[in-house]
Amino acid sequence: MNETIAVLDFGSQYSQLIARRIRECHVYSQVLPFRTTAEELRRSAPAGIVLSGGPASVYEEGAPRLDPAILELGIPILGICYGMQILIHTLGGKVEPGKAREFGRAMLRLEGRSPLFGGLPREFRVWMSHGDKVTAAPAGTRVLAVTDNTENAAIEIGGRRIYGIQFHPEVVHSEHGTEILRNFCLGICGCSGKWDMASFIESATREIRATVGDERVILGLSGGVDSSVAAALLHRAIGRQLNCIFVDNGLLRKNEAKQVQQLFGDKLKMELTTIDASKRFLAALDGVDEPERKRKIIGREFIEVFADAARSLGEVKFLAQGTTYPDVIESMSINGNPSAVIKSHHNVGGLPPDLKFKLIEPLSHLFKDEVREVGRQLGLPEEVVMRQPFPGPGLGVRHLGPVTAKTLDILREADAIMVDEIKAAGLYYRIWQAFAIFLPLRTVGVMGDLRTYDHVIALRAVESSDGMTADWVKLPDEVLQRISNRIINEVRGVNRVVYDVTSKPPGTIEWE
């Protein structure tokens, strides 16, 4: 039995969250476009199908549709919000605008018994987000739950193991949401609930070996979580057939290049090619202050340096990347799914035509927390596994104005002090990102009896779950004080420190 739950994405921003919640039940889940056909699902034979929510109304022209033949496969189906409404619409029922919309918490009252709600209390709160409602259900439909505003809050259609719920069990605001999804996956679909990261590592290792054979693989190692875990997994599978390329662009954090060499080259004994291209990058960035131009220069130079290094290794068939599942889902959105496009992922793209690699992405079905757990099980240290996100252009987007070797050193030292104090306060692993920014400003200050005219460092700390939105962290006063005092006292050329209290939106996390 294929113990996979297929999540058909009808445009909900929660589709990833549905997949995550299912995986928390130790059941493998995969997000697929809503256009997936019955024939495609018949071939893959998932244990169950979940239809996500979405922003459209089922009665509108051009609204996402469901292949009707999916309902005849005999596979259990759970429709959530729009997913429930498209079930009703496809089966000939009626969905109309409600007299009153229902957004936020609502009290759900169960009516009768159903394996979907097995073991749950008769009443509990759920999270609603809908303006339309089911006004006429197909023959044989049984109502499982109601709210004050919605008489068809949960239904079972025709005794066919097809269920619909108007609320969102995947969000934390819904009580017993995980239990409902577990009841569906384990109780109704018959999954064993034994999928975990250890089993993933074993299956991924077998798949990598079967794909690669005796060929060689190169990987652009940045030292970040994704590329580090990808490198560790590939090294476990194929050993010295993996060649990692690490480019020091001069825009790294303090001691970063040394740490990458020590861990991956010296300790883990990987084939590692380290290229010090810092002078090349700084020369290309000389005098450039426009943020987007900086990014393009850094990206262009990286591709050229990486390509030269790849050629020097001789014949290599595969290029590995640390692409993760959110990258894949967002790319799927860009390529035609109805969900709002939030970002595209950035990996080694735009290589010269003479470098024709087959792509291998061993983490492309894992979420970030799962990637971290794989890293732990592969023996990577916690400071690598739990490392905060770091932008591809490095300090180049945390240094406003033209970058120079001297001002980059100032930023590097200030950033190291901030991270050091955040860690000392036990806050590093609780914050999404914490870093320093160099401002191309000089302000008057007084040190001792002397007047100074030096640079400004801004501090930024944000909390977020996915980087899409973020709020600034209210760091304890004593922590901010220590950071400021140390920067002023230890970093020559700085006489003022400020703290950024802007959320995203309206600001971005990075300053450029």
Side-chain angles (χ1 to χ4, degrees):
M1 175 183 175
N2 178 9
E3 294 198 6
T4 296
I5 302 296
V7 180
L8 300 196
D9 180 12
F10 284 87
S12 174
Q13 297 294 350
Y14 296 144
S15 294
Q16 289 190 36
L17 191 54
I18 296 171
R20 288 176 61 86
R21 293 289 179 259
I22 292 171
R23 292 186 184 193
E24 287 169 7
C25 300
H26 297 288
V27 175
Y28 181 67
S29 59
Q30 187 174 7
V31 179
L32 300 173
F34 73 92
R35 295 186 180 90
T36 302
T37 66
E39 179 57 26
E40 289 169 326
L41 289 171
R42 187 190 63 77
R43 288 198 300 267
S44 61
I49 301 168
V50 174
L51 311 179
S52 83
S57 294
V58 296
Y59 47 78
E60 292 177 341
E61 185 176 350
R65 298 294 181 218
L66 176 72
D67 181 354
I70 290 174
L71 304 180
E72 307 304 323
L73 293 174
I75 299 173
I77 298 173
L78 174 63
I80 297 174
C81 198
Y82 183 92
M84 168 182 168
Q85 294 171 7
I86 197 63
L87 281 173
I88 297 297
H89 182 82
T90 304
L91 290 167
K94 198 168 187 179
V95 177
E96 298 178 294
K99 292 181 180 179
R101 297 185 301 173
E102 194 171 28
F103 291 93
R105 288 182 174 86
M107 184 62 73
L108 189 78
R109 297 188 296 276
L110 302 184
E111 298 196 347
R113 295 184 179 276
S114 167
L116 190 64
F117 297 107
L120 302 187
R122 304 304 298 171
E123 292 190 4
F124 54 92
R125 293 193 181 278
V126 296
W127 187 262
M128 291 283 193
S129 180
H130 67 103
D132 297 336
K133 63 193 303 184
V134 174
T135 56
T141 296
R142 184 165 69 97
V143 176
L144 302 179
V146 300
T147 70
D148 289 340
N149 185 58
T150 304
E151 56 270 30
N152 293 293
I155 57 172
E156 180 182 358
I157 300 175
R160 300 163 62 185
R161 295 193 300 170
I162 298 178
Y163 300 86
I165 53 179
Q166 188 60 70
F167 58 93
H168 289 273
E170 70 273 21
V171 302
V172 294
H173 310 294
S174 287
E175 296 175 347
H176 307 294
T178 299
E179 290 98 317
I180 292 169
L181 292 173
R182 183 180 294 113
N183 284 341
F184 177 71
C185 297
L186 276 59
I188 295 170
C189 299
C191 296
S192 63
K194 294 181 179 179
W195 184 79
D196 58 19
M197 290 303 100
S199 62
F200 166 81
I201 291 172
E202 291 304 318
S203 63
T205 299
R206 290 193 300 270
E207 185 176 339
I208 291 167
R209 288 171 179 165
T211 301
V212 172
D214 296 329
E215 301 290 343
R216 295 166 67 199
V217 180
I218 61 171
L219 178 144
L221 181 64
S222 69
V225 177
D226 300 338
S227 71
S228 296
V229 175
L233 181 56
L234 285 158
H235 189 250
R236 180 186 193 271
I238 59 174
R240 291 186 175 273
Q241 290 171 247
L242 172 68
N243 293 89
C244 295
I245 298 173
F246 175 70
V247 178
D248 181 355
N249 59 10
L251 304 167
L252 304 177
R253 289 167 288 193
K254 187 176 181 179
N255 296 328
E256 194 161 12
K258 181 180 178 181
Q259 291 164 359
V260 168
Q261 176 62 47
Q262 287 176 338
L263 175 60
F264 295 95
D266 302 341
K267 183 177 179 181
L268 299 180
K269 306 300 182 185
M270 293 188 189
E271 297 292 318
L272 176 62
T273 300
T274 300
I275 301 161
D276 183 357
S278 54
K279 291 182 179 178
R280 172 175 176 163
F281 276 82
L282 290 180
L285 290 168
D286 185 36
V288 178
D289 63 355
E290 202 279 315
E292 191 59 24
R293 192 171 162 223
K294 274 190 200 175
R295 286 179 174 271
K296 288 180 178 178
I297 290 171
I298 294 167
R300 181 196 70 211
E301 294 297 319
F302 175 81
I303 288 170
E304 291 180 3
V305 172
F306 183 88
D308 288 343
R311 291 189 188 98
S312 72
L313 294 173
E315 186 176 346
V316 179
K317 188 173 183 179
F318 291 94
L319 170 66
Q321 295 187 154
T323 308
T324 61
Y325 205 29
D327 298 331
V328 174
I329 295 172
E330 286 155 11
S331 295
M332 181 177 72
S333 169
I334 290 166
N335 291 317
N337 234 38
S339 56
V341 175
I342 297 169
K343 67 175 181 178
S344 59
H345 68 275
H346 305 282
N347 279 309
V348 181
L351 288 168
D354 66 306
L355 292 174
K356 295 180 180 179
F357 298 112
K358 290 186 177 180
L359 196 60
I360 182 167
E361 299 173 304
L363 309 178
S364 62
H365 291 299
L366 298 185
F367 291 102
K368 193 76 168 188
D369 58 326
E370 295 168 338
V371 172
R372 295 186 196 278
E373 182 56 29
V374 168
R376 288 191 187 95
Q377 295 202 22
L378 291 172
L380 291 178
E382 196 71 6
E383 57 265 27
V384 172
V385 170
M386 290 304 295
R387 191 181 189 191
Q388 292 180 357
F390 188 57
L395 298 181
V397 293
R398 294 178 178 175
H399 184 303
L400 276 62
V403 299
T404 68
K406 181 178 180 181
T407 53
L408 277 171
D409 283 341
I410 290 173
L411 173 57
R412 231 184 307 270
E413 293 297 328
D415 183 75
I417 288 171
M418 183 177 190
V419 172
D420 184 46
E421 289 297 336
I422 292 291
K423 286 182 176 179
L427 299 172
Y428 183 81
Y429 299 129
R430 293 158 52 188
I431 294 174
W432 178 262
Q433 279 173 283
F435 54 91
I437 306 102
F438 178 88
L439 304 186
L441 304 171
R442 288 179 180 268
T443 65
V444 174
V446 177
M447 290 187 176
D449 295 324
L450 299 177
R451 174 185 180 277
T452 61
Y453 189 56
D454 282 330
H455 297 289
V456 180
I457 289 290
L459 306 178
R460 180 93 160 123
V462 298
E463 50 193 3
S464 175
S465 60
D466 54 14
M468 306 298 185
T469 61
D471 198 7
W472 61 279
V473 176
K474 297 170 181 62
L475 290 175
D477 292 347
E478 62 272 17
V479 174
L480 279 173
Q481 185 178 36
R482 282 198 301 271
I483 295 171
S484 177
N485 285 347
R486 284 193 59 192
I487 290 174
I488 297 297
N489 288 326
E490 298 176 28
V491 183
R492 291 189 177 275
V494 178
N495 68 357
R496 192 176 299 272
V497 176
V498 297
Y499 189 52
D500 182 355
V501 293
T502 311
S503 298
K504 175 187 179 181
T508 54
I509 293 178
E510 302 295 343
W511 274 44
E512 288 191 343

